Amino acid sequence: MDKLVAKLSNHVALERGDIDAIERAFSRDVRLLDDRMPIIEAGEKPRAIHVLLDGWAVREVAVAAGRRQIVSILVAGDVVDFNAFMMERADMDVRTVGRASVANIDRTALSRLNQESSRVGQALWWETMVGASTQREWSANIAARRAEPRIANLLCNLFARMMLVGGVEGNAMACPLTQGDLANACGLTQEHLNRTLRGLRASGMVEIRPGVIHLPEPERLAAIADFSPAHLHCANGDLFFAVKRDAAPTEDVSLVLASAV
């Protein structure tokens, strides 16, 4: 529950009563799921909103020849499907990566939560905006960047989002994604991803061990990625590594510790 509270606190200043309301609402129906287990399956009728309390998950869409394309990666504190009550049928699969804890909240409980705390309701609406802007950033990254900056941008994105929920220590984050997952998420073959990662490793910017991603120099990686955390709309003053995007870009990239607003 701590990661959900940390995530929502990035958008709205929550008081003790708000946190108590969150804990009551999201602790009533919690599932512990193993690796690659479904949270949502395409075609099912949604009956609740799902929130990833702990762990990782991916949204997937079935494409040609039975392949599955990862279209977004979810981390602890993310709302999986805030628009669930508007859908007749789910149009995607969401599966865990590694073990995960998932809270389910039905329409009645969500309405009660909004009545108990308008600040929590506001924070959840902020979260829907952040989810949409994160998806736009994902689309732009896949469409507009070559392999190296594309991979670097995805790693920076995950790193910043984990920072928001206290999931980064010593520039490292626990991450169960495989290199096959990363390749799929970046729209690359695994061979292309591995070749590109070797270059990032050789430059000292990325270290990947089983279950851990370490970014020794996130500022350098952010420069390669042209990474900005603006899409996270963080209003609590937490500092992030970021690239300063000037109106008239020059060849020299200026790195700053920027507050995402």
Side-chain angles (χ1 to χ4, degrees):
M1 201 68 67
D2 291 347
K3 293 182 175 65
L4 173 61
V5 170
K7 182 86 179 286
L8 296 180
S9 296
N10 290 315
H11 310 313
V12 175
L14 299 177
E15 298 177 357
R16 182 67 250 177
D18 304 318
I19 296 170
D20 290 342
I22 291 170
E23 292 176 347
R24 283 194 300 272
F26 289 98
S27 62
R28 289 192 177 98
D29 184 4
V30 177
R31 292 182 290 162
L32 300 177
L33 300 177
D34 289 328
D35 183 34
R36 309 292 164 171
M37 294 293 290
I39 299 174
I40 304 168
E41 293 187 282
E44 75 175 58
K45 185 174 179 60
R47 291 180 172 81
I49 286 173
H50 304 83
V51 177
L52 195 59
L53 297 180
D54 204 9
W56 294 63
V58 292
R59 292 190 182 106
E60 298 177 321
V61 174
V63 292
R67 292 190 304 109
R68 311 190 70 78
Q69 179 62 48
I70 294 173
V71 295
S72 61
I73 296 172
L74 301 168
V75 303
D78 283 348
V79 178
V80 175
D81 53 348
F82 199 77
N83 58 353
F85 298 136
M86 303 166 116
M87 295 189 293
E88 180 63 28
R89 301 286 173 186
D91 59 4
M92 63 184 173
D93 296 301
V94 182
R95 300 185 188 279
T96 60
V97 183
R99 290 177 60 82
S101 173
V102 179
N104 310 317
I105 180 168
D106 62 23
R107 189 189 298 270
T108 300
L110 183 62
S111 297
R112 186 185 304 119
L113 176 60
N114 282 321
Q115 291 169 4
E116 289 181 10
S117 172
S118 60
R119 279 183 294 270
V120 174
Q122 183 184 359
L124 287 169
W125 278 116
W126 267 89
E127 175 58 16
T128 65
M129 178 184 71
V130 171
S133 60
T134 298
Q135 196 66 50
R136 290 192 293 272
E137 185 74 14
W138 177 289
S139 299
N141 186 43
I142 296 297
R145 294 187 176 99
R146 295 176 297 102
E148 184 178 67
R150 187 186 307 174
I151 295 167
N153 192 279
L154 176 61
L155 294 177
C156 287
N157 179 287
L158 297 174
F159 190 78
R161 288 162 63 196
M162 289 296 285
M163 284 180 67
L164 277 174
V165 295
V168 172
E169 185 174 350
N171 284 352
M173 60 181 175
C175 177
L177 296 169
T178 66
Q179 292 196 13
D181 293 326
L182 292 173
N184 185 315
C186 288
L188 301 169
T189 65
Q190 192 161 340
E191 292 76 12
H192 196 171
L193 177 109
N194 290 342
R195 186 167 61 249
T196 307
L197 279 178
R198 280 198 297 271
L200 292 171
R201 285 194 190 100
S203 67
M205 287 183 283
V206 176
E207 296 174 6
I208 297 181
R209 304 185 300 276
V212 177
I213 294 178
H214 180 213
L215 307 184
E217 298 184 70
E219 295 89 351
R220 286 180 61 205
L221 193 68
I224 288 174
D226 185 33
F227 176 75
S228 166
H231 63 283
L232 298 175
H233 297 278
C234 175
N236 71 353
D238 280 349
L239 296 178
F240 290 87
F241 59 97
V243 173
K244 184 178 181 180
R245 291 176 176 169
D246 297 321
T250 65
E251 291 187 3
D252 294 330
V253 179
S254 175
L255 292 172
V256 295
L257 284 176
S259 176
V261 177

